[in-house]
């Protein structure tokens, strides 16, 4: 408000100076004299008209400016909220990894780009028993810790996702078959080495069965995931906590 008043007074002063300059320039030329009532009108009229009119104009301009600022802020917050919702719609809330739809979408994009690599499908062994014996809070902690470990493998052409329940999937680009096997064993050992404690501080045994498949250029994501799932089932049938792979 103080700015509006200051601007209005300044406008009134400039109008007064302009009025006096015009009067003292042209009235004598026309044979008149700037004095008496004429001088009063020369002073009063610019002030009486310009100050209120300027105050209304500047006040409206300030309201418009504030409204535009509020609208811009609202749009920024709306865009941020949309981005957050979009991120949440693609992310598993417990582990922070990609959810199934986001994982498959990225895998399909890699296929279109001709990326090759290793796809693994893993399932935590005896997870229901962990929940039943130690409680769901401990089960959630196992999932979180597994997700944190798998997240370290994410990169430009490397993705990790939780496909549902205790099932996870990873894709690592550029690996050969031999490198894939070593990578799978590394992951199996890291999961087996997770130090998870229950609420009673007892140690929780964690392991995973892993099915792996090597993906060639232009691979079909659904077919590769099915092949990895078949290998996963075989790993479980062979006793769990092991890797079964195919080319």
């Amino acid at each position: 408000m103080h700015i509006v008043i200051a601007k209005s007074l300044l406008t009134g002063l400039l109008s007064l100076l302009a009025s006096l300059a015009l009067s003292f320039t042209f009235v004598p030329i026309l044979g008149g004299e700037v004095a008496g009532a004429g001088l009063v009108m020369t002073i009063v009229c610019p002030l009486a008209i310009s100050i209120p009119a300027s105050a209304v104009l500047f006040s409206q301009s300030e309201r418009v400016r504030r409204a535009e600022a509020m609208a811009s802020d609202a749009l920024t917050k709306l865009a941020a909220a949309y981005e957050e919702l979009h991120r949440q719609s693609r992310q598993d809330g417990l582990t922070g990894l990609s959810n199934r739809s986001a994982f498959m979408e990225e895998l399909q994009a890699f296929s279109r780009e001709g990326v090759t690599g290793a796809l693994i499908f893993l399932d935590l062994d005896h997870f229901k028993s962990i929940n039943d014996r130690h409680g769901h809070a401990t089960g959630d902690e196992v999932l979180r810790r597994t997700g944190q470990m798998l997240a370290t493998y994410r990169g430009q052409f490397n993705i990790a996702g939780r496909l549902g329940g205790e099932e996870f999937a990873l894709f690592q680009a550029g690996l050969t078959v031999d490198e894939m096997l070593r990578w799978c064993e590394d992951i199996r050992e890291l999961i087996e080495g997770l130090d998870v404690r229950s609420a009673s501080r007892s140690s929780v045994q964690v392991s995973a069965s892993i099915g792996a498949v090597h993906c060639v250029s232009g691979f079909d994501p659904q077919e590769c995931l099915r092949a990895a799932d078949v290998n996963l089932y075989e790993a479980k049938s062979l006793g769990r906590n092991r890797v079964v792979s195919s080319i």
Side-chain angles (χ1 to χ4, degrees):
M1 187 63 185
H2 292 92
I3 296 177
V4 171
I5 293 174
K7 286 183 177 180
S8 300
L9 292 176
L10 179 59
T11 302
L13 178 60
L14 293 175
S15 299
L16 172 60
L17 294 176
S19 176
L20 289 173
L22 289 172
S23 295
F24 280 101
T25 299
F26 292 104
V27 170
I29 294 176
L30 298 174
E33 182 181 355
V34 182
L39 179 60
V40 172
M41 293 298 290
T42 299
I43 296 173
V44 171
C45 287
L47 296 177
I49 295 173
S50 64
I51 292 178
S54 297
V56 171
L57 176 63
F58 290 137
S59 179
Q60 290 178 341
S61 298
E62 182 64 18
R63 283 198 292 269
V64 170
R65 186 192 66 78
R66 290 179 181 177
E68 289 177 342
M70 291 176 63
S72 177
D73 184 58
L75 287 173
T76 300
K77 290 179 178 178
L78 183 62
Y82 174 79
E83 286 298 322
E84 178 62 18
L85 286 173
H86 181 66
R87 183 188 64 81
Q88 291 180 3
S89 71
R90 297 173 54 82
Q91 187 179 71
D92 175 62
L94 182 62
T95 64
L97 300 178
S98 299
N99 58 26
R100 187 184 189 94
S101 61
F103 181 88
M104 295 306 295
E105 182 181 317
E106 292 184 75
L107 198 60
Q108 182 65 61
F110 290 165
S111 174
R112 288 195 299 266
E113 294 171 12
V115 177
T116 64
L119 174 66
I120 72 170
F121 195 5
L122 69 86
D123 184 272
L124 297 177
D125 297 326
H126 305 296
F127 185 73
K128 184 178 184 301
S129 296
I130 294 176
N131 278 332
D132 293 341
R133 182 178 178 182
H134 301 287
H136 288 279
T138 301
D140 286 348
E141 181 63 16
V142 170
L143 293 173
R144 273 192 294 268
R145 293 287 300 280
T146 302
Q148 288 172 359
M149 185 274 292
L150 298 179
T152 62
Y153 289 94
R154 290 185 297 191
Q156 183 180 4
F157 291 109
N158 307 322
I159 53 176
R162 182 186 176 199
L163 303 194
E166 63 272 25
E167 296 178 341
F168 296 84
L170 296 94
F171 181 84
Q172 189 90 349
L175 296 185
T176 65
V177 174
D178 290 339
E179 289 170 338
M180 176 183 73
L181 295 175
R182 290 195 295 271
W183 178 54
C184 290
E185 281 297 331
D186 288 343
I187 291 173
R188 187 193 64 77
E189 291 174 2
L190 286 170
I191 293 176
E192 189 178 25
L194 288 176
D195 182 18
V196 181
R197 302 283 171 168
S198 67
S200 62
R201 303 305 301 163
S202 61
S203 178
V204 179
Q205 184 64 44
V206 183
S207 66
S209 299
I210 297 176
V213 63
H214 191 264
C215 303
V216 299
S217 179
F219 65 91
D220 184 321
Q222 294 292 347
E223 287 299 324
C224 284
L225 190 62
R226 275 193 286 269
D229 190 25
V230 169
N231 291 339
L232 169 61
Y233 181 81
E234 184 177 352
K236 284 188 171 292
S237 67
L238 292 173
R240 295 183 169 83
N241 192 23
R242 65 191 61 223
V243 176
V244 172
S245 64
S246 61
I247 301 175

